[in-house]
Amino acid sequence: MKVQRILPTEEAADLLGLVREIAAGELAPHVAQFEAAHEFPREIVRTLGQAGLLSLAYPEEYGGGGQPYEVYLQALEEIAYHWFAMAEAVNVHNLACFGTATYGTKAQRAELLPGMLGGELLGAYCLSEPEAGSDAASLTTRAVRQDDGYHITGTKSWVTHAGYADFYNVFTRTGGPGARGLSCLVVPSGTPGMVVHERERKLGVWSSPTAQIGFDDVRVPAERLIGREGKGFLIAMGALDCGRLGIAACAVGIAQAATDYAVRYAKERHQFGQRIISFQGVGFMLADMATQIAAARALTLAAARLKDAGLPYSLEAAKAKLFATDMAMKVTTDAVQVLGGAGYVADHPVERWMREAKLLQIVEGTNQIQRMVISQGLD
Ligand SMILES: Cc1cc2nc3c(=O)[nH]c(=O)nc-3n(C[C@H](O)[C@H](O)[C@H](O)COP(=O)(O)OP(=O)(O)OC[C@H]3O[C@@H](n4cnc5c(N)ncnc54)[C@H](O)[C@@H]3O)c2cc1C
């Protein structure tokens, strides 16, 4: 990847260098093996954690990296370039830490954050349910307050890291219907009553585990309520604003990987006595791919810079997620086209990138939902 980056500090430039080194040296050599085996590389995620890459944008005071969001996103892009499932792991972990870091009391932050941000623990974010996807405010998992804490009953679906996470950020209904009835609870793994169902068999991102989790009268102490009762939807959406920028950065990384691969191939492959890149039909396709990536990267970082400046950025995050993930779908599909038949077989990674890009148009609010959010925000 030859990307000219403008980074805010020398420290950030050094950090990106380290990320590139780790991604190329510790991630890239293993991706094919773990994807084919549908195996979650917990030890590799731990390596990312030990290098501080699971919590780059969280406060140093509690064990985070204290980096601006624009730096974190560029690091995430570098990781996604080499292994999207690992970037997804980082992104989901960041979602799972958001509630405690942003809305936790001083005591909760002091108790929980060093573990969450220290690199050893891995988080999961449990919002979706079988009957509540895009309409998350209709979720029905219920937490009832009793003398000994909250008792949670219900089913969460599509939980990334199900069965592997050390803590689960669970959104539940503690009040009446709608968004105002929701609350956020942190549930440690292994709490009695939690049942991880069979892993989903997915189109792609095979090394990342996704499964439903059943909650059968799962008890958590009242001190594990983050924010107040009724603040759950606010926390869930705040996390998604950040997460959508993460998804956009992943989309840029995947698209860049596919384009770099397609360019190399097009320079080597000869037909009609010429390199195929010299045919305008192929060269212009690659030019469009490179241009779309640059636009998506710029949009994503512009939104991140708003966030770093403490300005409203939700709408810009939705635009970045929408544009970058639609771009990644188009670019990875075109990369397959550039390789011809070779693009359609697993000997080359472009078919994997195309399968991975599809997920990005669905998660953290489908692209229809992003369009809805953006259209509702138009003046
Ligand atoms: C691999 C994977 C990992 C995931 N990881 C997590 C996770 O870790 N945690 C988590 O909480 N969730 C996770 N999700 C869930 C994901 O966020 C949801 O799939 C997504 O929000 C869409 O919900 P749904 O699948 O129920 O689709 P639905 O909401 O049923 O939508 C179906 C279709 O209808 C469209 N639609 C719905 N409402 C509208 C509307 N108002 N206007 C226009 N179109 C609309 C949608 O865009 C979509 O095309 C994951 C999903 C996958 C596939």
Side-chain angles (χ1 to χ4, degrees):
M1 172 166 28
K2 287 187 209 113
V3 180
Q4 276 190 307
R5 297 193 184 279
I6 299 174
L7 291 157
T9 58
E10 234 173 80
E11 185 199 2
D14 291 346
L15 175 68
L16 260 284
L18 174 74
V19 174
R20 239 174 260 131
E21 219 173 273
I22 292 175
E26 315 263 340
L27 303 187
H30 305 291
V31 56
Q33 175 205 336
F34 279 91
E35 278 294 308
H38 294 235
E39 196 183 325
F40 183 59
R42 184 64 184 93
E43 283 312 308
I44 291 178
V45 175
R46 217 179 294 284
T47 307
L48 295 178
Q50 283 158 357
L53 303 184
L54 286 183
S55 55
L56 273 181
Y58 282 109
E60 280 178 291
E61 185 189 352
Y62 295 111
Q67 289 298 316
Y69 219 68
E70 64 156 315
V71 174
Y72 160 63
L73 291 183
Q74 295 186 72
L76 199 60
E77 181 196 326
E78 298 276 354
I79 296 172
Y81 182 87
H82 289 286
W83 190 347
F84 165 59
M86 294 303 91
E88 191 194 19
V90 174
N91 192 49
V92 167
H93 178 76
N94 275 264
L95 282 185
C97 297
F98 175 87
T100 309
T102 315
Y103 291 91
T105 60
K106 217 171 167 197
Q108 283 172 326
R109 276 188 256 170
E111 187 197 339
L112 298 173
L113 278 184
M116 288 177 168
L117 305 181
E120 274 301 309
L121 305 185
L122 184 66
Y125 174 89
C126 309
L127 179 65
S128 304
E129 296 184 357
E131 300 305 324
S134 300
D135 183 11
S138 69
L139 66 83
T140 57
T141 293
R142 185 162 272 288
V144 178
R145 176 84 195 251
Q146 295 183 9
D147 291 344
D148 60 349
Y150 286 95
H151 289 238
I152 309 173
T153 300
T155 305
K156 289 292 171 185
S157 53
W158 307 114
V159 181
T160 302
H161 302 156
Y164 291 86
D166 300 290
F167 62 94
Y168 294 81
N169 212 21
V170 182
F171 295 93
T172 66
R173 190 165 297 287
T174 49
R180 284 163 195 256
L182 302 186
S183 298
C184 173
L185 289 159
V186 175
V187 184
S189 65
T191 306
M194 278 176 82
V195 178
V196 178
H197 291 249
E198 199 185 325
R199 223 166 129 158
E200 303 290 350
R201 292 177 300 149
K202 299 179 302 203
L203 178 67
V205 206
W206 296 331
S207 59
S208 170
T210 315
Q212 274 196 0
I213 300 185
F215 290 79
D216 182 10
D217 197 28
V218 171
R219 190 190 76 78
V220 283
E223 300 78 57
R224 291 293 174 270
L225 173 74
I226 303 298
R228 291 197 311 277
E229 278 196 15
K231 288 282 174 209
F233 194 71
L234 191 75
I235 297 172
M237 294 303 119
L240 288 181
D241 281 344
C242 305
R244 282 168 185 166
L245 286 178
I247 293 291
C250 289
V252 172
I254 290 176
Q256 185 73 60
T259 300
D260 287 357
Y261 198 94
V263 168
R264 277 197 303 276
Y265 187 89
K267 285 183 174 174
E268 283 166 14
R269 175 77 175 166
H270 286 71
Q271 288 293 286
F272 301 97
Q274 292 179 46
R275 301 189 308 164
I276 61 168
I277 199 167
S278 67
F279 300 124
Q280 200 177 67
V282 174
F284 278 15
M285 197 190 276
L286 290 165
D288 284 345
M289 290 156 71
T291 306
Q292 292 287 303
I293 292 169
R297 182 181 291 118
L299 191 59
T300 304
L301 294 179
R305 286 170 186 140
L306 287 177
K307 174 172 161 52
D308 288 331
L311 295 167
Y313 72 98
S314 298
L315 283 177
E316 302 315 304
K319 288 176 196 167
K321 195 271 181 184
L322 169 64
F323 185 82
T325 61
D326 280 356
M327 174 284 293
M329 192 70 251
K330 169 90 172 82
V331 163
T332 54
T333 306
D334 286 348
V336 170
Q337 192 69 18
V338 169
L339 269 73
Y344 202 68
V345 293
D347 300 350
H348 300 272
V350 286
E351 58 84 32
R352 169 165 60 80
W353 289 318
M354 189 177 106
R355 290 185 282 103
E356 292 174 344
K358 185 65 226 171
L359 178 66
L360 300 175
Q361 294 180 304
I362 296 169
V363 289
E364 303 205 18
T366 66
N367 283 5
Q368 283 79 15
I369 295 303
Q370 306 308 321
R371 287 186 170 88
M372 199 174 88
V373 167
I374 296 161
S375 66
Q376 286 169 354
L378 296 173
D379 296 318

